[in-house]
Amino acid sequence: MRQRKQTCLSIILSLLLIAGLLTGCKGTGQLPKLLPRSETSAQTEAAAYESYRENTLKVQQDFDKRMEELFLSEVDNSLITLHYTLADPSALGITDYDRTLGSYTVEDAKNAVKDAKAVKVQLDAIDKRLLREDQLLTHTILSSYLNTMISSEGMELYDQPLSSSLGIQAQLPILLSEYAFYTRQDIEDYLSLLTSIDTYYASIAAYEKERSDAGLGLCDISLDRIIKSCNAYLIDANHSFMAETFAERLNQVEGLTQEEKDAYIAKNLAAIDGHFVPAYKSLIESLTSLKGTGLNDKGLYHYPEGKKYYEYLVNSYTGTSFQDIPSLKAAINAQMLDDLTSMDKLLAKNPELAKQMYSYSFALTEPHQILENLKSQCQMDFPSIDGYECNIKRVPKALESILSPAFYLTVPIDRPQDNSIYINNGITSTNKNLYSTLAHEGYPGHMYQTLYFNSQNTANIRKLLSFNSYSEGWATYVEYYSYGLDNGLDKNLSQLLKHNAAFTLSLYAMLDISIHYEGWDLKQMAEYLNHYFRISDGSVISTIYYDIVENPANYLEYYVGYLEILNMQKDAKKALGSSYSDMEFNRFLLDLGPAPFSVIRPYFNEWLVRQNRPAANGQ
């Protein structure tokens, strides 16, 4: 769930006034270079070196300290963020924090930009030449993150917190239902969160009213879709997933008596009836009152600063290394054509594959068996990880129509063993796509990448910096990789399915740009899909169109991340030839960790040089 924090980057890094102390001794030019230096000269150089070394260590220690202070300041701005990042915040001295969901206001966004500017000034004052390699990477990533945040200034009302499937109102209940109970305090915190949801949603409703008054309101079609998703949460407290999961989580807390459990269960039911359900009813009423006020039923292009905001979103969501959106779209179209060409070649050789696309089945259909199979086969191309558990859970039936096909919930830094993957049985087919879905969400996808990064990363601040295109791009990349494994499918069929999946995602990404950056309306998109792909079902086209309208740049997160990784892999294979290794390429991406691709690309180019060096030396 993309949720704006109450404040962001509120701590100001201390200004590091670093003077360059490395000076060279000036010679007279009269003595041969091989003659020994004078004792005084050697002592002077030694003193200068020691001073430089001492200052460098001081700068590095200060940087680590400031980054940890920044992490500690930011991690408790939201209790949801805090709990999903640290299972035991008290171990880091965090005991006093806001136990509500906070608010969602324009002022919050303005304060976030203000704080980002202040931190950026102090970050720029650091002499990067004195940082360790890992610190320099953190500095570069954080600087890029801040620059992107600052670029949103003045467009605070363009944010879109609500959408039918990816909005806060659709995803927050899942985060609440998965809120782990490690201690009694966690139970109390959860109940506090739950009782604050009506206040939080009231702030979102006020924000949507402010957007509407500014001429940026949601159109009636989008409002109806969001209201429909809200209706799914008008639940009966006694017979709901919110009550069921609460009782299950209580059993994880040691020392609770049955009397205490019963008391907590009663409080939870009261909070559902008294706050959770009323929050959704109130949100529905507020959104209904806005019907008729949102005049734009098309993309961001048709708002006054829509194109500018979309440029910010693309940069924020994808961190792309492409210079601008037109060049990005050209790259998407080129890869889309490559996948179509590959499909045509496969079908030309074996026309029967077209029929098999609708009747195939992977060899394995049980989730845990699939994950073990993936782990076993991936060891040849991915560094191994151990010491984790994964719980496979089912999306509640009442929510199947409004949630994603599957999703992985990230684990706290200090509880890497706890992992949960939700499968939406209403959308995900056990036979047709569970195998590839678990590659995306589990191993070697989100779960694997998260656990690997947490085990390697030493800068906690990076845990809070979200780079979804790296994460989703990686998961998409390995999802398509899974089609090439021994999965029970004919190899040609596997390749056809992979190219078809990649093509479909590229089409959505291209439509995203066409709608939000170039201004396509529903009719233009329908004509395009009918002309080139013979898609003419009006309800299908309308669903696609408004999914994209409600969630600008969402599909780009997935596809652009995949495209960036794919292009780097192509470049690596071309440059390294027979010395190329999937294992080393994957290790490079994993070791670097989540970052904008504009940052990753220069590091990739350096990696290529290092990989080429042994070959150049004949080693």
Side-chain angles (χ1 to χ4, degrees), residues 212 218-221 223-224 227 286-294:
S212 179
L218 295 163
C219 70
D220 286 2
I221 294 177
L223 286 170
D224 284 339
I227 289 170
S286 297
L287 295 177
T288 301
S289 71
L290 294 177
K291 293 186 72 170
T293 64

Side-chain angles (χ1 to χ4, degrees), residues 59 63 81 146 194 236 352 399 409 417 487 520 530 575 579:
V59 170
F63 183 83
T81 299
L146 294 170
L194 193 57
D236 174 4
E352 289 297 314
L399 307 182
L409 290 177
Q417 68 271 29
N487 52 38
W520 281 19
N530 188 28
S579 63

Side-chain angles (χ1 to χ4, degrees), residues 17-87:
L17 298 177
I18 301 170
L21 297 176
L22 181 59
T23 58
C25 297
K26 296 180 180 179
T28 63
Q30 298 175 351
L31 297 177
K33 291 182 179 179
L34 295 180
L35 287 180
R37 295 169 293 169
S38 68
E39 183 177 345
T40 301
S41 176
Q43 290 175 344
T44 301
E45 289 186 10
Y49 173 76
E50 285 302 318
S51 178
Y52 167 75
R53 182 173 179 274
E54 181 180 348
N55 185 67
T56 299
L57 291 175
K58 175 66 165 56
V59 170
Q60 293 173 355
Q61 291 169 357
D62 284 350
F63 183 83
D64 284 337
K65 180 182 178 182
R66 302 301 180 239
M67 291 301 102
E68 188 63 11
E69 288 175 350
L70 185 59
F71 168 76
L72 293 175
S73 171
E74 288 305 299
V75 72
D76 64 354
N77 278 335
S78 158
L79 181 50
I80 291 285
T81 299
L82 176 62
H83 191 69
Y84 275 89
T85 306
L86 295 171

Side-chain angles (χ1 to χ4, degrees), residues 513-546:
I513 293 175
S514 298
I515 291 169
H516 290 291
Y517 191 72
E518 297 174 352
W520 281 19
D521 59 19
L522 178 59
K523 181 181 178 182
Q524 286 173 290
M525 194 189 83
E527 290 174 348
Y528 172 81
L529 292 177
N530 188 28
H531 178 73
Y532 287 102
F533 307 109
R534 298 179 182 177
I535 299 174
S536 58
D537 188 319
S539 62
V540 170
I541 294 172
S542 178
T543 298
I544 294 172
Y545 186 80
Y546 287 104

Side-chain angles (χ1 to χ4, degrees), residues 200-260:
Y200 180 55
Y201 279 9
S203 72
I204 293 177
Y207 172 80
E208 288 295 345
K209 176 66 166 59
E210 195 171 353
R211 290 184 68 214
S212 179
D213 291 343
L216 304 174
L218 295 163
C219 70
D220 286 2
I221 294 177
S222 291
L223 286 170
D224 284 339
R225 285 160 54 95
I226 295 168
I227 289 170
K228 180 180 178 181
S229 78
C230 289
N231 284 327
Y233 295 106
L234 301 180
I235 55 180
D236 174 4
N238 288 290
H239 305 91
S240 69
F241 71 97
M242 295 289 287
E244 180 182 335
T245 61
F246 182 84
E248 291 172 353
R249 284 174 286 157
L250 286 179
N251 293 327
Q252 303 302 313
V253 181
E254 296 182 358
L256 286 181
T257 65
Q258 187 59 49
E259 184 179 2
E260 289 174 319

